[in-house]
Amino acid sequence: MFKNNMILVVIPARGGSKGIPRKNLRLLDNKPLISYSIGVAKASQYVDDVVVTTDDSQIALIAEKFGASVVRRSEELSTDEALLDPVIHDAMIQKEKMAFDEYDIVITLQPTSPLIKTQTLDEAIEKFDDFGLDSVISVVDDRHLSWGYDENNQRYFPNYIERVNRDDLPKSFRETGAILATRRSFVHEDSRLGANIGIVEVSHEESVNIETFQDWWMAENYLRKKRIAIVVNAYNEIGTSYIERCLAIASKLVFHDVLFLTNERYQLGVDILSKFNYSHKTYEDSNDLFDILSQYGPHIVVNDIQDTSEEYVSALNEKGYFVVNFEDLGMGSGIANVVFDDLYEHDLSESNVFTDHKFFILRDEFYYQPAKIITNEVKQVLIAFGEIDSNNLTEKAIDSILSTNYEGRIDVIVGLGYERLEELISKYESNPLIQIYRDVSNISEFMFKADIIFSSANKSIYEICSLGVPTICLCQDNREESHAFVTRNNGFINLGLGEAVEKQEITDQFIALVNDYELRLDLHEKMLSIDLRYGFENITSVVEEEYRKFEFNKRLKRHDDESF
């Protein structure tokens, strides 16, 4: 009841829907479509009675199961041609006869609008606080550059005065059909609207009205939408590879809400997220981070911050978040829900850890970059040892190449964390063969143009593999040495720990590779035999399965607690 007004919600649901057969009974995200509107009405703080008007006994059974009363409509009111006005009037009259009373406000709530919120329904009811208001309808802002057609002159004409951006157009409302509320005195067999009409504006999500299978697909995706918090940082010492992976993930999460969280100390990460226009917040310390998480209320927390502590992940678990970590060899990895590591081997007895190249996510630029074509002559070499190159393998590789009679181009790319840039430039600036770059944005172009690449055993070897460019690998540390993917069987010449390899060995291997076309072709073919295009899909498949288990266990625990 709202301010002494008795309120009836009528949900019209016949069995003979044509566009989507048996639509009202179909399971939408594991619940009958009609159950959503019943649930919204019953959760209202103002609604007194909820009734479903139907001609179908199965719909009647489901409606009662979800807590609504049911009235049967006549055959005449159940045809394709029947309008809603007489249907709602009939249901109201039947219900009033049962209650021996009259309602003050009658609301039509369409079962085909499953995304409408109880808060929106209550907002529509509260509009009747204005005694001069007769009816309230739900609308969505649908402004756009629209055109009309003049039948008499057979010509099209614009429904606007000036071509401007959509946001600069005046609001133009479209009825969603979800809610039509009206005072009892205006509910007739041929009308449900009074003269003075108010509106309640809804979001585009709430405006979805299921008439086609495309509408159904959209509604189901909205219902399955998750709030995902991604905790990641970028700064010179670690580079941008972690945040680039998270950006690649976020770009594919089109039906989910994503919020990036990055430490305010690292301006590089903030700048990158601002550039890409993703929603993001900065945190000062762990307490601040958890405050932001509590406000956002994520379903899933993704950590791409290297090794996590048991204390940190345990705190996330206690909040009820589903925790996904990347490249985590810390103590927290053991209690995260899922850990993905495409680079390093874990204790495979841990059921929550998934390690394999199939979980690597290529950056977008590598999806549309063609594979390398191997030629007899080597004209271009790329040297790229990652963000930091603490062992200065870059210089070691350059010197090894220059000790040969190679006369082709040498592209050198160093990261933001490389500390010897000025020395490097000073040493080689007089050599016309060498071009030095820092932190390029189109690394795939450099890789594609190269005939041979020198690289460490970091994530870039997967990107190299996707293009099929013969590569000599020098590992930066023991952790990289454990990267089992960098083998001859996968198309790589791995010389082991870079600082322990003599320059002469690098020189000899380079000369051998330059002079052996068949070897380069063999390495190329082995690389291209590995499909790296479905990393996101493989990760999603695992997360969805583990999340279902996670939700099931939560429901089971709630049931046990209630039973106890």
Side-chain angles (χ1 to χ4, degrees), residues 218-232:
M218 188 178 299
E220 196 149 52
N221 275 286
Y222 271 126
L223 286 167
R224 292 174 178 174
K225 180 171 66 175
K226 299 290 184 288
R227 289 183 300 278
I228 302 173
I230 300 179
V231 185
V232 64

PDB file of all heavy atoms in Angstrom, residues 218-232:
ATOM      1  N   MET A 218      20.193 -10.960 -25.486  1.00  0.00           N
ATOM      2  CA  MET A 218      20.644  -9.754 -24.808  1.00  0.00           C
ATOM      3  C   MET A 218      20.260  -9.782 -23.325  1.00  0.00           C
ATOM      4  O   MET A 218      21.071  -9.473 -22.450  1.00  0.00           O
ATOM      5  CB  MET A 218      20.033  -8.520 -25.489  1.00  0.00           C
ATOM      6  CG  MET A 218      20.590  -7.197 -24.979  1.00  0.00           C
ATOM      7  SD  MET A 218      19.879  -5.776 -25.841  1.00  0.00           S
ATOM      8  CE  MET A 218      20.396  -6.126 -27.523  1.00  0.00           C
ATOM      9  N   ALA A 219      19.029 -10.178 -23.040  1.00  0.00           N
ATOM     10  CA  ALA A 219      18.574 -10.234 -21.647  1.00  0.00           C
ATOM     11  C   ALA A 219      19.392 -11.238 -20.847  1.00  0.00           C
ATOM     12  O   ALA A 219      19.766 -10.980 -19.693  1.00  0.00           O
ATOM     13  CB  ALA A 219      17.085 -10.594 -21.605  1.00  0.00           C
ATOM     14  N   GLU A 220      19.675 -12.381 -21.458  1.00  0.00           N
ATOM     15  CA  GLU A 220      20.430 -13.412 -20.741  1.00  0.00           C
ATOM     16  C   GLU A 220      21.850 -12.943 -20.436  1.00  0.00           C
ATOM     17  O   GLU A 220      22.392 -13.202 -19.362  1.00  0.00           O
ATOM     18  CB  GLU A 220      20.461 -14.703 -21.560  1.00  0.00           C
ATOM     19  CG  GLU A 220      20.884 -15.911 -20.750  1.00  0.00           C
ATOM     20  CD  GLU A 220      20.230 -17.176 -21.253  1.00  0.00           C
ATOM     21  OE1 GLU A 220      20.312 -17.442 -22.472  1.00  0.00           O
ATOM     22  OE2 GLU A 220      19.635 -17.920 -20.449  1.00  0.00           O
ATOM     23  N   ASN A 221      22.442 -12.229 -21.365  1.00  0.00           N
ATOM     24  CA  ASN A 221      23.781 -11.696 -21.127  1.00  0.00           C
ATOM     25  C   ASN A 221      23.767 -10.649 -20.026  1.00  0.00           C
ATOM     26  O   ASN A 221      24.703 -10.588 -19.213  1.00  0.00           O
ATOM     27  CB  ASN A 221      24.361 -11.112 -22.415  1.00  0.00           C
ATOM     28  CG  ASN A 221      25.027 -12.159 -23.279  1.00  0.00           C
ATOM     29  OD1 ASN A 221      26.118 -12.626 -22.982  1.00  0.00           O
ATOM     30  ND2 ASN A 221      24.351 -12.561 -24.345  1.00  0.00           N
ATOM     31  N   TYR A 222      22.745  -9.822 -19.986  1.00  0.00           N
ATOM     32  CA  TYR A 222      22.625  -8.842 -18.909  1.00  0.00           C
ATOM     33  C   TYR A 222      22.490  -9.538 -17.559  1.00  0.00           C
ATOM     34  O   TYR A 222      23.101  -9.136 -16.564  1.00  0.00           O
ATOM     35  CB  TYR A 222      21.420  -7.929 -19.135  1.00  0.00           C
ATOM     36  CG  TYR A 222      21.714  -6.703 -19.959  1.00  0.00           C
ATOM     37  CD1 TYR A 222      20.965  -6.404 -21.103  1.00  0.00           C
ATOM     38  CD2 TYR A 222      22.719  -5.817 -19.584  1.00  0.00           C
ATOM     39  CE1 TYR A 222      21.224  -5.263 -21.854  1.00  0.00           C
ATOM     40  CE2 TYR A 222      22.982  -4.671 -20.333  1.00  0.00           C
ATOM     41  CZ  TYR A 222      22.234  -4.402 -21.465  1.00  0.00           C
ATOM     42  OH  TYR A 222      22.496  -3.278 -22.196  1.00  0.00           O
ATOM     43  N   LEU A 223      21.683 -10.585 -17.518  1.00  0.00           N
ATOM     44  CA  LEU A 223      21.464 -11.292 -16.261  1.00  0.00           C
ATOM     45  C   LEU A 223      22.721 -12.004 -15.769  1.00  0.00           C
ATOM     46  O   LEU A 223      22.908 -12.192 -14.568  1.00  0.00           O
ATOM     47  CB  LEU A 223      20.326 -12.314 -16.430  1.00  0.00           C
ATOM     48  CG  LEU A 223      18.920 -11.718 -16.508  1.00  0.00           C
ATOM     49  CD1 LEU A 223      17.925 -12.766 -16.980  1.00  0.00           C
ATOM     50  CD2 LEU A 223      18.494 -11.158 -15.153  1.00  0.00           C
ATOM     51  N   ARG A 224      23.569 -12.389 -16.705  1.00  0.00           N
ATOM     52  CA  ARG A 224      24.803 -13.082 -16.341  1.00  0.00           C
ATOM     53  C   ARG A 224      25.972 -12.119 -16.129  1.00  0.00           C
ATOM     54  O   ARG A 224      27.089 -12.553 -15.888  1.00  0.00           O
ATOM     55  CB  ARG A 224      25.153 -14.110 -17.422  1.00  0.00           C
ATOM     56  CG  ARG A 224      24.150 -15.257 -17.469  1.00  0.00           C
ATOM     57  CD  ARG A 224      24.422 -16.181 -18.639  1.00  0.00           C
ATOM     58  NE  ARG A 224      23.473 -17.296 -18.635  1.00  0.00           N
ATOM     59  CZ  ARG A 224      23.389 -18.209 -19.604  1.00  0.00           C
ATOM     60  NH1 ARG A 224      24.185 -18.129 -20.651  1.00  0.00           N
ATOM     61  NH2 ARG A 224      22.502 -19.187 -19.534  1.00  0.00           N
ATOM     62  N   LYS A 225      25.691 -10.847 -16.260  1.00  0.00           N
ATOM     63  CA  LYS A 225      26.743  -9.833 -16.127  1.00  0.00           C
ATOM     64  C   LYS A 225      27.339  -9.859 -14.729  1.00  0.00           C
ATOM     65  O   LYS A 225      26.634  -9.947 -13.733  1.00  0.00           O
ATOM     66  CB  LYS A 225      26.168  -8.446 -16.427  1.00  0.00           C
ATOM     67  CG  LYS A 225      27.174  -7.322 -16.328  1.00  0.00           C
ATOM     68  CD  LYS A 225      26.592  -6.014 -16.846  1.00  0.00           C
ATOM     69  CE  LYS A 225      25.452  -5.526 -15.976  1.00  0.00           C
ATOM     70  NZ  LYS A 225      24.973  -4.208 -16.421  1.00  0.00           N
ATOM     71  N   LYS A 226      28.654  -9.772 -14.669  1.00  0.00           N
ATOM     72  CA  LYS A 226      29.368  -9.771 -13.395  1.00  0.00           C
ATOM     73  C   LYS A 226      30.124  -8.458 -13.228  1.00  0.00           C
ATOM     74  O   LYS A 226      30.500  -7.804 -14.199  1.00  0.00           O
ATOM     75  CB  LYS A 226      30.360 -10.937 -13.327  1.00  0.00           C
ATOM     76  CG  LYS A 226      29.715 -12.313 -13.424  1.00  0.00           C
ATOM     77  CD  LYS A 226      28.927 -12.642 -12.181  1.00  0.00           C
ATOM     78  CE  LYS A 226      28.364 -14.050 -12.221  1.00  0.00           C
ATOM     79  NZ  LYS A 226      27.254 -14.220 -13.153  1.00  0.00           N
ATOM     80  N   ARG A 227      30.320  -8.092 -11.972  1.00  0.00           N
ATOM     81  CA  ARG A 227      31.215  -6.970 -11.662  1.00  0.00           C
ATOM     82  C   ARG A 227      32.606  -7.554 -11.410  1.00  0.00           C
ATOM     83  O   ARG A 227      32.776  -8.400 -10.524  1.00  0.00           O
ATOM     84  CB  ARG A 227      30.721  -6.196 -10.436  1.00  0.00           C
ATOM     85  CG  ARG A 227      29.460  -5.390 -10.698  1.00  0.00           C
ATOM     86  CD  ARG A 227      29.049  -4.581  -9.480  1.00  0.00           C
ATOM     87  NE  ARG A 227      28.779  -5.428  -8.330  1.00  0.00           N
ATOM     88  CZ  ARG A 227      27.641  -6.063  -8.109  1.00  0.00           C
ATOM     89  NH1 ARG A 227      26.641  -5.940  -8.978  1.00  0.00           N
ATOM     90  NH2 ARG A 227      27.472  -6.820  -7.037  1.00  0.00           N
ATOM     91  N   ILE A 228      33.559  -7.096 -12.188  1.00  0.00           N
ATOM     92  CA  ILE A 228      34.916  -7.652 -12.130  1.00  0.00           C
ATOM     93  C   ILE A 228      35.904  -6.548 -11.782  1.00  0.00           C
ATOM     94  O   ILE A 228      36.005  -5.548 -12.504  1.00  0.00           O
ATOM     95  CB  ILE A 228      35.289  -8.301 -13.475  1.00  0.00           C
ATOM     96  CG1 ILE A 228      34.281  -9.405 -13.824  1.00  0.00           C
ATOM     97  CG2 ILE A 228      36.712  -8.858 -13.426  1.00  0.00           C
ATOM     98  CD1 ILE A 228      34.470  -9.994 -15.205  1.00  0.00           C
ATOM     99  N   ALA A 229      36.612  -6.729 -10.690  1.00  0.00           N
ATOM    100  CA  ALA A 229      37.664  -5.791 -10.288  1.00  0.00           C
ATOM    101  C   ALA A 229      39.015  -6.369 -10.705  1.00  0.00           C
ATOM    102  O   ALA A 229      39.310  -7.532 -10.415  1.00  0.00           O
ATOM    103  CB  ALA A 229      37.627  -5.550  -8.785  1.00  0.00           C
ATOM    104  N   ILE A 230      39.811  -5.566 -11.394  1.00  0.00           N
ATOM    105  CA  ILE A 230      41.131  -6.008 -11.850  1.00  0.00           C
ATOM    106  C   ILE A 230      42.195  -5.182 -11.138  1.00  0.00           C
ATOM    107  O   ILE A 230      42.263  -3.963 -11.311  1.00  0.00           O
ATOM    108  CB  ILE A 230      41.275  -5.866 -13.371  1.00  0.00           C
ATOM    109  CG1 ILE A 230      40.210  -6.710 -14.087  1.00  0.00           C
ATOM    110  CG2 ILE A 230      42.675  -6.262 -13.815  1.00  0.00           C
ATOM    111  CD1 ILE A 230      40.257  -6.606 -15.600  1.00  0.00           C
ATOM    112  N   VAL A 231      42.993  -5.846 -10.321  1.00  0.00           N
ATOM    113  CA  VAL A 231      44.068  -5.178  -9.576  1.00  0.00           C
ATOM    114  C   VAL A 231      45.370  -5.394 -10.338  1.00  0.00           C
ATOM    115  O   VAL A 231      45.826  -6.532 -10.500  1.00  0.00           O
ATOM    116  CB  VAL A 231      44.190  -5.736  -8.137  1.00  0.00           C
ATOM    117  CG1 VAL A 231      45.220  -4.936  -7.351  1.00  0.00           C
ATOM    118  CG2 VAL A 231      42.834  -5.706  -7.427  1.00  0.00           C
ATOM    119  N   VAL A 232      45.966  -4.305 -10.821  1.00  0.00           N
ATOM    120  CA  VAL A 232      47.167  -4.414 -11.645  1.00  0.00           C
ATOM    121  C   VAL A 232      47.951  -3.111 -11.570  1.00  0.00           C
ATOM    122  O   VAL A 232      47.376  -2.049 -11.329  1.00  0.00           O
ATOM    123  CB  VAL A 232      46.788  -4.732 -13.114  1.00  0.00           C
ATOM    124  CG1 VAL A 232      46.000  -3.599 -13.743  1.00  0.00           C
ATOM    125  CG2 VAL A 232      48.014  -5.079 -13.940  1.00  0.00           C
TER     126      VAL A 232
END
